[in-house]
C-alpha cells in the first residue's frame, strides 16, 4: 500500500504536446502489448454502450465463454469498470497492475502520467491478457478516434447512438461527433450501428466504405418488431436476412433497450457466421432475459426510478420508457447534472411531462449549480436546493405514495443517490 501511495502522489500533469495515443502505445509496448493478445468487441456511442456491453456479456457467459468487460463510469468503486464474468477486479489485482504502469511512467517518463482513464485502461489490458479472457468487451470512454481504448483491432465494432455531447472535445455538430465515434472503425472489421440521425449515419457509412468495413445498420440490415412492455419485462421480435427470433424477453425497460439488445444480437450472429464464436440461439434468449444495468431505468421500492439520462437523447428515452411502463402515473423529477451537457433540451423534455421538477447539485468542480438549472425550467412546480439529500427527502415525503419519483441526470449523481438509498437514506 505504501508503494501505491508513493506513486499516487508523484503523478504529474499530462504532456499535452505529445500526439494523441502515442503515450498509450509506448507504455503498452513496455508492457509487452497485452492489447494484442485480446479478442475484442469495441463499443462506442453517446448512449447505450454499457447496456449493450452487458447484454453481450450475459449472452457470451451463457454460452460458456470467459468474458472481460470494460465499462465507465463506475457508480460506487473504480473496480466496477473491469470485470470478468461479472466479477470485479480485486483491490490487490488493481494495485498490482497499477504499480506496473506507475513504475514504467516513473522510470521512462519522469512521472509524466497519462489521465486517470488511460491508467485504468492500461490496467484493464494487462488484467484481461493475464487472465486469458476469451473475449474482451471494451467500451470507449470519450469519443472513439482519440480514445485511450482505440489501440485495438477488434473482431467487431459497435456504434450505438450519436447525440451532441462533450462538444468542446468532440465537435458541435452531429457530423463532427459521428466522425469521432467512427474512429473505432478499422479496415475490414465489421461494424454494427444503431444510429438513427441521418447526418451522423451518413458519416459512419462513409467511414465504413472508406475502410472497407462491412456495415450493418438497425432498421436497414436488421429490424425489431412486435414490441410489448409491462412492468417486469418487454418482448420483441428480431429479424435479419434469413434469421428470425420471436418473443424475445428483455428485462431492461424501454424501446431504446430493445435497440441496444438488437445490436448485441446482430454482433453475435455476425461473429457466429464468421466462425469466431460458437453460440446457440438459446444463449441469446437467456442472456437478454438476464441482462440489466445499474442506473438505467433502475426501479427501487416506493416507486423510485434511477436513470443516468445525461443528455437530451437519454432524457427522451427515459420519458418514453416512463410513459410505456407507468402511463397513468404522475412523475416528479429530481435532476442534477454536470456543466458540459445540453441542459435546456433535457429540461424542456421533462417540463412537458413532469408534475413537478426539483433541481439540485453534486459536489464536483464541474457540476452545474441548482439555481442555474432551475432558471431553464418553465414547469410551474419547480424548485431548487443545492443539497441533494435535502431535495430527495423533500420530494419523497411530499409526493403522493403512488406517484413516481424519477432521479436523473449525471451518473455521478445517480451513484451518490444509490449509495444513500442502500443505506436506507429515505
Amino acid at each position: 500500500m505504501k508503494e501505491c501511495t508513493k506513486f499516487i502522489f508523484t503523478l504529474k500533469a499530462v504532456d499535452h504536446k505529445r500526439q494523441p495515443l502515442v503515450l498509450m502505445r509506448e507504455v503498452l509496448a513496455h508492457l509487452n502489448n497485452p492489447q494484442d493478445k485480446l479478442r475484442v468487441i469495441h463499443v462506442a456511442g453517446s448512449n447505450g454502450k454499457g447496456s449493450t456491453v452487458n447484454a453481450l456479456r450475459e449472452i457470451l457467459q451463457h454460452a460458456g465463454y470467459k468474458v472481460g468487460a470494460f465499462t465507465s463510469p463506475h457508480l460506487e468503486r473504480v473496480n466496477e469498470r473491469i470485470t470478468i464474468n461479472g466479477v470485479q477486479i480485486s483491490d490487490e489485482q488493481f494495485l498490482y497492475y497499477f504499480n506496473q504502469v506507475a513504475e514504467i511512467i516513473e522510470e521512462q517518463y519522469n512521472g509524466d502520467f497519462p489521465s486517470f482513464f488511460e491508467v485504468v485502461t492500461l490496467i484493464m489490458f494487462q488484467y484481461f491478457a493475464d487472465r486469458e479472457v476469451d473475449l474482451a468487451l471494451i467500451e470507449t470512454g470519450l469519443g472513439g478516434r482519440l480514445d485511450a481504448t482505440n489501440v485495438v483491432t477488434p473482431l467487431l465494432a459497435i456504434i450505438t447512438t450519436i447525440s451532441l455531447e462533450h462538444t468542446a472535445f468532440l465537435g458541435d455538430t452531429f457530423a463532427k461527433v459521428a466522425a469521432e465515434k467512427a474512429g473505432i472503425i478499422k479496415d475490414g472489421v465489421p461494424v454494427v450501428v444503431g444510429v438513427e440521425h441521418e447526418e451522423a449515419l451518413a458519416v459512419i457509412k462513409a467511414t465504413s466504405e472508406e475502410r472497407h468495413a462491412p456495415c450493418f445498420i438497425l432498421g436497414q440490415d436488421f429490424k425489431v418488431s412486435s414490441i410489448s412492455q409491462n412492468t417486469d419485462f418487454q418482448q420483441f421480435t428480431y429479424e435479419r436476412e434469413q434469421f428470425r427470433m420471436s418473443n424475445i424477453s428483455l428485462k431492461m425497460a424501454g424501446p431504446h433497450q430493445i435497440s441496444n439488445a438488437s445490436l448485441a444480437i446482430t454482433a453475435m450472429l455476425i461473429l457466429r457466421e464468421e466462425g469466431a464464436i460458437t453460440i446457440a440461439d438459446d444463449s441469446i434468449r437467456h442472456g437478454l432475459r438476464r441482462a440489466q444495468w445499474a442506473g438505467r431505468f433502475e426501479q427501487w421500492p416506493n416507486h423510485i426510478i434511477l436513470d443516468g439520462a445525461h443528455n437530451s437523447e437519454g432524457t427522451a428515452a427515459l420519458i418514453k420508457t416512463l410513459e410505456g411502463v407507468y402511463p397513468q402515473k404522475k412523475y416528479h423529477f429530481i435532476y442534477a447534472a454536470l456543466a458540459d451537457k445540453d441542459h435546456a433540451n433535457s429540461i424542456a423534455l421533462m417540463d412537458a411531462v413532469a408534475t413537478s421538477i426539483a433541481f439540485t447539485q453534486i459536489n464536483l468542480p464541474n457540476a452545474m449549480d441548482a439555481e442555474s438549472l432551475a432558471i431553464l425550467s418553465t414547469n410551474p412546480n419547480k424548485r431548487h436546493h443545492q443539497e441533494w439529500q435535502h431535495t430527495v427527502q423533500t420530494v419523497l415525503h411530499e409526493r403522493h405514495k403512488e406517484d413516481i419519483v424519477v432521479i436523473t441526470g449525471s451518473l455521478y449523481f445517480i451513484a451518490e443517490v444509490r449509495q444513500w438509498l442502500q443505506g436506507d437514506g429515505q
Side-chain angles (χ1 to χ4, degrees), residues 184-325:
I184 71 166
I185 299 173
K186 304 297 194 302
D187 290 343
V189 175
V191 56
V192 179
V193 181
V195 175
E196 296 180 352
H197 192 279
E198 290 185 7
E199 181 183 356
L201 186 56
V203 172
I204 292 168
K205 290 170 72 174
T207 304
S208 299
E209 291 173 5
E210 176 186 334
R211 297 175 187 170
H212 306 288
C215 187
F216 304 88
I217 301 169
L218 174 61
Q220 298 180 27
D221 302 292
F222 57 99
K223 299 178 180 180
V224 295
S225 61
S226 304
I227 298 171
S228 62
Q229 172 77 64
N230 59 47
T231 55
D232 297 318
F233 286 93
Q234 56 182 334
Q235 289 192 318
F236 67 100
T237 294
Y238 171 93
E239 294 179 83
R240 173 177 174 263
E241 297 177 344
Q242 304 303 312
F243 182 89
R244 186 176 191 274
M245 184 179 288
S246 59
N247 298 318
I248 302 170
S249 292
L250 184 64
K251 190 168 188 177
M252 299 188 72
H256 61 296
Q257 295 295 359
I258 289 179
S259 296
N260 295 333
S262 74
L263 301 179
I265 296 171
T266 305
M268 295 292 89
L269 295 177
I270 291 169
L271 293 180
R272 183 168 74 177
E273 291 161 6
E274 293 184 346
I277 59 174
T278 301
I279 196 164
D281 291 354
D282 182 60
S283 290
I284 294 175
R285 286 190 180 276
H286 183 90
L288 294 179
R289 188 173 179 85
R290 281 181 49 87
Q292 54 186 328
W293 198 230
R296 282 71 168 181
F297 207 82
E298 183 179 359
Q299 301 189 56
W300 284 70
N302 301 321
H303 300 292
I304 299 171
I305 292 172
L306 305 183
D307 193 289
H310 57 279
N311 53 36
S312 56
E313 181 186 50
T315 303
L318 165 60
I319 290 170
K320 194 170 184 179
T321 305
L322 275 172
E323 293 176 332
V325 179

Side-chain angles (χ1 to χ4, degrees), residues 6 71 110 141 147 155 183 225 229 242 244 288 318 332 341 368 374 383 394 397 412-413 418:
K6 171 198 169 188
T71 58
N110 297 316
D147 190 77
L155 298 175
S225 61
Q229 172 77 64
Q242 304 303 312
R244 186 176 191 274
L288 294 179
L318 165 60
H332 301 273
K341 299 296 181 179
M368 190 81 163
R383 70 174 79 187
T394 301
H397 291 159
Y412 296 103
F413 176 45
R418 283 186 93 252

Side-chain angles (χ1 to χ4, degrees), residues 153-164:
T153 300
L155 298 175
L156 179 140
I158 299 175
I159 302 176
T160 56
T161 64
I162 300 293
S163 63
L164 292 179

Side-chain angles (χ1 to χ4, degrees), residues 6 69 357 380 407:
K6 171 198 169 188
I357 183 166
I407 302 173

Side-chain angles (χ1 to χ4, degrees), residues 16-36:
H16 293 288
K17 297 178 183 178
R18 195 181 293 275
Q19 290 295 314
L21 295 182
V22 168
L23 181 57
M24 280 295 295
R25 292 194 174 99
E26 288 181 357
V27 176
L28 284 166
H30 286 294
L31 295 168
N32 297 317
N33 290 310
Q35 78 282 6
D36 293 341

